[in-house]
């Protein structure tokens, strides 16, 4: 495995050891295990420095020299996770996969995640080798064992994948692409119930190149990614398997980067997953996995392993990883375009933005005004009615209700609500009742009043609103507080941070598409700034990031990577600090994928001890009619749980009810 095919670039982290002598290595391992105790350092150093092919030769030499089985001796001498890792490295890849699958279906219960990971990610050739290795090692038929341990559509898709017959022709028929898109759409979205057989046939048999085009066309045709339809139409292990297949079709290294991140994030480490991936990908695509890992999670795989494991186990994993990508913050030249390709896959311009709150059908402002008055009249308050009406009307309809309430009862609905409800619920409901520009203006005012400034709120609003929204905020701020927004920002902030905010607050960002020649000039402009010249760098970044259109900035980011092998976001984090860095990062993330930016804000507002209710409320109120549906999709994709579940686990009472109503559904 360590030697790549003719013309292909080798992307593994483990290479053939030069001047390899299997007999000498066998002797070294025998010596390391002889006597009382074993020299674990010597064992890990030798085994992680040899390719899998070389390890097989060492096994043969060991048996010839000592009449003993090397794997059996290693099992006897080593223990725990370290033993599993070292023994895993000693098996040929197909036999390693066979052992993992055997363990996954043996005993009580089935490790479905292991089955999904292996069968969704392997090539036809790897599948054929796996089936043969399983037969050889266990004298059993793998397909029969899988059928005996699984059921339903999950079982059917596993059996299809086990055939190893995915088409491999890269010549794609446009007519067949359109037909498959139509068949998938009719099998899911357009059908009462779901025709799972169509999903199984198309996703289990078509070539990767063909499926990538199917996914692109599906998005254009339906306005939603194929992943969203799979989540809506399928369920359980079958849903997880199909999502894994889609991820591997899009990018197998990205799928494994995500699996590794999830294996180590949070409390506890999923060591079986970590070991399996590090062993099986070390001679295939570990360099690509590392690159995507750092791009996607803003930390290196090396640093995460280092912080999450210990002892010889850690040392061996780090050797397999092959290097730390955090130090320089730069890309491998071979994979420099990976980051931009990832942004383009989720570019907002290709996805229809959808809110979760829409105008109510059969809207009757008179009836709503009366129902709200009744809910607040007399002893006690009917919060359920208030929540139900206000979260299920568009903002324009809420303004009509306010006017009707005043006409009927001579009372101010906002004042009545303020006196009847309190706390987090009051902030949420009153926020929904305000016109969006006035709500944003109020949030900016609150961020600047009193002791201290909430810079994060200023950045979040000014870095993400479009020109029309910014201009409306300026008017609302002047109307409500009799002072210009620019004057308020000037009084409350300073230095480069002030200049960035004032530039954003003018609402003069260019509109329209990209200019490729100008994009190259812009990329060169920021690339030419000497490292360490912070003032000049911040000025150049501000001139470009605060004024160019979003489509143009995406092209600038791509040109910047081509010129430097650096991601612009990593450069900002490396060269800048404080509020200036945070503002520029927010702009870049918003340009890359605005719904993902807000999904991150929501996740951070609810993770750990305590909840940041202000940020949670602000995002839910301000995005509910714009792109909250898209934010939900990004949330579940990145964090492996739905926004609905996160809100449910982190809030309570009427505040929870109102947030879930705005969320608009469980994914």
């Amino acid at each position: 495995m360590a030697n790549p095919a003719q013309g292909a670039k080798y992307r593994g982290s483990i290479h053939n050891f030069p001047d390899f002598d299997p007999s000498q290595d066998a002797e070294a391992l025998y010596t390391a295990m002889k006597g009382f105790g074993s020299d674990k350092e010597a064992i890990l150093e030798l085994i992680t420095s040899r390719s899998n092919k070389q390890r097989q030769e060492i096994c043969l030499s060991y048996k010839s020299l000592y009449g003993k089985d090397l794997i059996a001796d290693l099992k006897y001498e080593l223990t725990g996770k370290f033993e599993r890792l070292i023994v895993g490295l000693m098996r040929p890849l197909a036999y390693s996969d066979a052992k993992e699958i055997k363990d996954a279906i043996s005993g009580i219960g089935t490790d479905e995640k292991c089955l999904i990971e292996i069968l969704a990610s392997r090539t036809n050739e790897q599948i054929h080798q796996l089936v043969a290795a399983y037969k050889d090692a266990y004298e059993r038929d793998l397909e029969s064992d899988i059928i005996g341990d699984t059921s339903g559509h999950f079982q059917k898709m596993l059996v299809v994948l086990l055939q190893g017959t995915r088409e491999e022709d890269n010549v794609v028929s446009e007519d067949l692409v359109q037909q498959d898109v139509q068949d998938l759409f009719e099998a899911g979205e357009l059908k009462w119930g779901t025709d799972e057989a169509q999903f199984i046939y198309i996703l289990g048999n078509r070539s990767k190149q063909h499926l990538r085009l199917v996914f692109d066309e599906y998005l254009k045709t339906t306005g939603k990614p194929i992943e969203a339809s799979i989540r809506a139409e399928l369920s359980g292990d079958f849903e997880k398997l199909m999502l894994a297949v889609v991820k591997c079709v899009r990018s197998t290294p990205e799928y494994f980067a995500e699996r590794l991140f999830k294996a180590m994030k949070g409390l506890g480490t999923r060591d079986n997953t970590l070991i399996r991936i590090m062993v099986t990908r070390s001679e295939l695509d570990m360099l690509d996995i590392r690159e995507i890992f750092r791009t996607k999670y803003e930390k290196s795989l090396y640093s995460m392993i280092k912080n999450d494991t210990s002892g010889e186990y850690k040392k061996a994993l780090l050797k397999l990883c092959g290097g730390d990508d955090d130090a320089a913050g730069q890309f491998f030249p071979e994979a420099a375009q990976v980051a931009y390709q990832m942004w383009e896959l989720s570019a907002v311009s290709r996805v229809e933005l959808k809110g979760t709150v829409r105008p109510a059908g059969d809207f009757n402002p008179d009836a709503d005004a009366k129902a709200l008055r009744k809910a607040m009249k007399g002893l006690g308050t009917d919060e359920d009615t208030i929540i139900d009406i206000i979260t299920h009307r568009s903002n324009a309809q809420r303004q009509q209700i306010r006017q009707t309430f005043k006409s009927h009862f001579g009372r101010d609905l906002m004042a009545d609500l303020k006196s009847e409800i309190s706390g987090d619920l009051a902030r949420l409901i009153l926020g929904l009742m305000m016109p969006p520009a006035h709500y944003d203006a109020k949030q900016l005012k609150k961020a600047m009043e009193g002791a201290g400034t909430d810079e994060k709120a200023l950045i979040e609003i000014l870095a993400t609103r479009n020109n029309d929204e910014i201009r409306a905020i300026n008017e609302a701020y002047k109307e409500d507080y009799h002072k210009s927004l620019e004057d308020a920002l000037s009084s409350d902030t300073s230095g480069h941070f002030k200049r960035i905010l004032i530039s954003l607050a003018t609402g003069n960002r260019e509109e329209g598409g990209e200019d490729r020649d100008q994009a190259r000039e812009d990329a060169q402009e920021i690339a030419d700034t000497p490292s360490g010249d912070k003032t000049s760098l911040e000025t150049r970044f501000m001139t470009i990031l605060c004024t160019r259109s979003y489509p143009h900035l995406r092209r600038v980011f791509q040109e910047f990577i081509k010129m430097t092998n650096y991601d612009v976001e990593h450069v900002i984090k490396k060269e800048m600090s404080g509020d200036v860095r945070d503002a520029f990062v927010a702009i870049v993330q918003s340009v890359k994928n605005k719904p993902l930016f807000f999904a991150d804000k929501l996740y951070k507002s609810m993770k750990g001890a305590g909840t940041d209710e202000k940020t949670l409320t602000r995002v839910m109120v301000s995005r509910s009619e714009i792109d909250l549906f898209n934010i939900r999709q990004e949330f579940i994709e990145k964090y492996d749980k739905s926004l609905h579940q996160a809100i449910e686990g982190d809030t309570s009472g009427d505040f929870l009810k109102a947030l879930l109503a705005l969320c608009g559904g469980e994914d």
Side-chain angles (χ1 to χ4, degrees):
M1 290 302 298
N3 292 320
Q6 189 93 23
K9 281 182 177 171
Y10 182 62
R11 301 298 292 153
S13 55
I14 299 294
H15 299 261
N16 279 329
F17 189 74
D19 303 320
F20 171 62
D21 184 337
S23 296
Q24 192 176 311
D25 285 351
E27 287 175 28
L29 287 171
Y30 183 76
T31 303
M33 293 187 283
K34 194 167 68 174
F36 186 70
S38 54
D39 186 349
K40 297 181 181 66
E41 189 82 33
I43 293 169
L44 81 86
E45 186 63 37
L46 192 150
I47 289 174
T48 58
S49 301
R50 307 298 186 267
S51 68
N52 193 277
K53 180 173 175 291
Q54 290 175 332
R55 293 182 207 123
Q56 305 319 308
E57 291 183 54
I58 296 169
C59 281
L60 287 172
S61 292
Y62 193 89
K63 187 164 276 187
S64 298
L65 288 170
Y66 306 108
K68 300 176 74 169
D69 182 69
L70 177 54
I71 290 181
D73 280 3
L74 287 167
K75 280 184 179 177
Y76 180 78
E77 290 292 333
L78 308 177
T79 57
K81 296 174 284 195
F82 181 55
E83 178 244 309
R84 286 207 301 277
L85 177 61
I86 294 297
V87 168
L89 286 168
M90 295 308 300
R91 295 190 180 99
L93 177 61
Y95 284 81
S96 183
D97 280 349
K99 175 73 165 66
E100 289 291 324
I101 286 187
K102 185 74 168 69
D103 289 347
I105 57 178
S106 295
I108 300 169
T110 305
D111 182 355
E112 290 86 2
K113 287 180 180 174
C114 172
L115 295 180
I116 290 169
E117 180 196 298
I118 292 173
L119 296 180
S121 66
R122 301 313 192 243
T123 64
N124 286 347
E125 185 184 354
Q126 288 166 345
I127 291 285
H128 297 152
Q129 290 169 352
L130 160 62
V131 171
Y134 192 91
K135 186 82 171 174
D136 180 50
Y138 306 111
E139 297 180 350
R140 297 178 66 89
D141 179 64
L142 178 53
E143 184 178 322
S144 300
D145 282 0
I146 294 258
I147 288 171
D149 214 65
T150 58
S151 61
H153 298 298
F154 178 57
Q155 177 200 88
K156 289 173 189 169
M157 185 62 177
L158 289 176
V159 169
V160 167
L161 294 172
L162 263 179
Q163 306 314 301
T165 53
R166 184 178 297 285
E167 296 160 4
E168 293 179 325
D169 187 358
N170 282 332
V171 178
V172 176
S173 159
E174 287 185 23
D175 290 342
L176 187 56
V177 167
Q178 293 297 338
Q179 184 62 54
D180 283 350
V181 169
Q182 194 59 37
D183 288 347
L184 287 171
F185 191 44
E186 289 175 359
E189 300 284 337
L190 295 182
K191 190 178 177 69
W192 181 258
T194 306
D195 182 358
E196 289 87 353
Q198 279 287 18
F199 279 86
I200 290 170
Y201 176 72
I202 293 170
L203 293 181
N205 289 284
R206 298 288 192 241
S207 73
K208 286 191 172 186
Q209 185 65 26
H210 175 90
L211 286 173
R212 287 183 194 117
L213 293 175
V214 168
F215 300 161
D216 287 345
E217 286 302 315
Y218 190 90
L219 181 60
K220 288 177 191 170
T221 303
T222 68
K224 62 168 69 174
I226 188 71
E227 291 91 338
S229 292
I230 288 171
R231 287 194 183 98
E233 300 298 327
L234 313 180
S235 61
D237 293 323
F238 181 46
E239 174 198 341
K240 290 172 188 165
L241 174 58
M242 298 306 255
L243 287 172
V245 169
V246 170
K247 284 175 183 174
C248 289
V249 165
R250 290 198 188 278
S251 168
T252 303
E254 186 176 353
Y255 170 70
F256 282 113
E258 185 181 304
R259 292 279 295 157
L260 285 167
F261 179 74
K262 288 175 180 173
M264 291 182 280
K265 76 168 185 174
L267 290 173
T269 305
R270 297 171 194 170
D271 292 293
N272 285 350
T273 301
L274 178 56
I275 291 167
R276 183 170 58 245
I277 297 173
M278 295 304 290
V279 166
T280 58
R281 309 315 291 187
S282 60
E283 294 184 39
L284 295 173
D285 51 8
M286 184 58 69
L287 298 188
D288 293 325
I289 292 168
R290 273 169 46 184
E291 179 56 36
I292 292 170
F293 192 99
R294 198 197 53 206
T295 301
K296 194 165 184 176
Y297 302 112
E298 299 174 10
K299 67 179 81 176
S300 68
L301 175 59
Y302 189 97
S303 66
M304 197 158 183
I305 291 170
K306 195 173 177 181
N307 293 329
D308 214 64
T309 59
S310 61
E312 282 87 8
Y313 176 53
K314 173 172 80 173
K315 289 177 188 173
L317 286 170
L318 293 178
K319 288 272 288 180
L320 294 179
C321 183
D324 188 358
D325 309 310
D326 269 348
Q330 67 186 41
F331 287 100
F332 297 108
E334 297 92 336
Q337 295 307 307
V338 168
Y340 190 77
Q341 287 164 7
M342 285 165 60
W343 308 336
E344 288 225 310
L345 277 174
S346 58
V348 176
S349 58
R350 295 174 58 191
V351 180
E352 181 192 350
L353 296 179
K354 289 183 187 173
T356 52
V357 173
R358 298 172 186 82
D362 302 323
F363 173 58
N364 185 336
D366 187 66
D368 284 348
K370 287 176 181 173
L372 287 170
R373 176 69 180 137
K374 184 180 177 185
M376 294 184 283
K377 200 172 168 185
L379 197 63
T381 306
D382 181 358
E383 286 89 355
D384 285 347
T385 296
I386 294 170
I387 291 167
D388 186 55
I389 292 174
I390 291 175
T391 60
H392 291 96
R393 306 294 183 270
S394 69
N395 194 276
Q397 290 176 333
R398 293 182 206 122
Q399 303 318 310
Q400 288 181 253
I401 295 169
R402 281 179 72 175
Q403 188 57 54
T404 304
F405 195 90
K406 185 163 273 187
S407 299
H408 273 350
F409 307 112
R411 302 172 68 91
D412 179 19
L413 176 56
M414 293 285 280
D416 279 8
L417 286 167
K418 203 177 282 188
S419 70
E420 291 293 329
I421 55 179
S422 60
D424 295 328
L425 178 65
R427 276 195 292 274
L428 181 68
I429 294 296
L430 292 169
L432 289 168
M433 291 305 303
M434 296 178 76
H438 289 266
Y439 178 72
D440 278 346
K442 184 174 183 181
Q443 296 306 302
L444 291 169
K445 180 77 164 61
K446 280 182 170 293
M448 292 183 280
E449 67 186 10
T453 304
D454 184 353
E455 292 86 2
K456 284 185 168 63
L458 296 180
I459 291 168
E460 178 200 306
I461 294 169
L462 294 175
T464 60
R465 304 309 192 249
N466 63 36
N467 286 345
D468 289 341
E469 289 166 339
I470 291 285
R471 289 167 195 151
I473 291 168
N474 274 289
E475 289 175 21
Y477 200 94
K478 186 83 171 172
E479 181 186 333
D480 294 346
Y481 307 112
H482 312 293
K483 182 179 184 178
S484 76
L485 176 57
E486 183 179 329
D487 287 346
L489 290 168
S490 294
S491 303
D492 210 66
T493 59
S494 61
H496 265 97
F497 182 54
K498 176 175 82 174
R499 290 171 58 198
I500 293 165
L501 294 181
I502 289 174
S503 177
L504 292 171
T506 60
N508 278 328
R509 184 179 293 284
E510 294 167 3
E511 295 177 349
E514 64 184 55
D515 177 336
R516 291 204 173 205
D517 292 336
Q518 184 62 53
R520 278 190 285 274
E521 285 181 32
D522 288 346
Q524 194 69 59
E525 176 78 10
I526 50 180
D528 283 346
T529 312
S531 181
D533 187 355
K534 194 171 170 185
T535 303
S536 178
L537 189 67
E538 289 174 353
T539 301
R540 292 185 190 203
F541 265 90
M542 186 180 80
T543 305
I544 292 164
L545 290 183
C546 296
T547 62
R548 303 289 193 251
S549 72
Y550 272 29
H552 180 83
L553 284 174
R554 287 191 191 103
R555 178 61 59 188
V556 172
F557 298 163
Q558 186 182 33
E559 295 298 330
F560 187 80
I561 287 177
K562 285 179 185 173
M563 289 173 188
T564 67
N565 285 328
Y566 281 67
D567 173 13
V568 71
E569 189 175 332
H570 286 287
V571 172
I572 292 168
K573 288 176 177 175
K574 184 185 172 195
E575 298 290 342
M576 301 179 199
S577 60
D579 298 326
V580 170
R581 176 200 60 207
D582 294 346
F584 284 147
V585 166
I587 295 169
V588 170
Q589 290 179 345
S590 185
V591 169
K592 287 178 181 178
N593 185 337
K594 197 178 286 186
L596 179 58
F597 170 80
F598 283 112
D600 286 339
K601 294 287 285 185
L602 287 170
Y603 178 76
K604 286 169 186 170
S605 76
M606 292 182 280
K607 79 167 186 174
T611 306
D612 178 0
E613 288 88 357
K614 288 181 182 175
T615 299
L616 176 57
T617 299
R618 187 172 59 242
V619 175
M620 295 295 288
V621 167
S622 64
R623 310 314 294 182
S624 59
E625 290 184 54
I626 300 173
D627 54 6
L628 190 52
F629 178 80
N630 308 84
I631 292 167
R632 272 170 40 189
Q633 298 301 310
E634 295 292 349
F635 194 99
I636 194 169
E637 181 68 27
K638 182 163 181 181
Y639 298 110
D640 212 24
K641 68 175 173 181
S642 67
L643 177 58
H644 189 283
Q645 288 171 323
I647 291 169
E648 218 167 23
D650 215 65
T651 60
S652 60
D654 293 323
F655 183 48
L656 165 66
K657 288 179 192 172
L659 286 171
L660 291 182
L662 288 182
C663 183
E666 167 65 286
D667 298 305

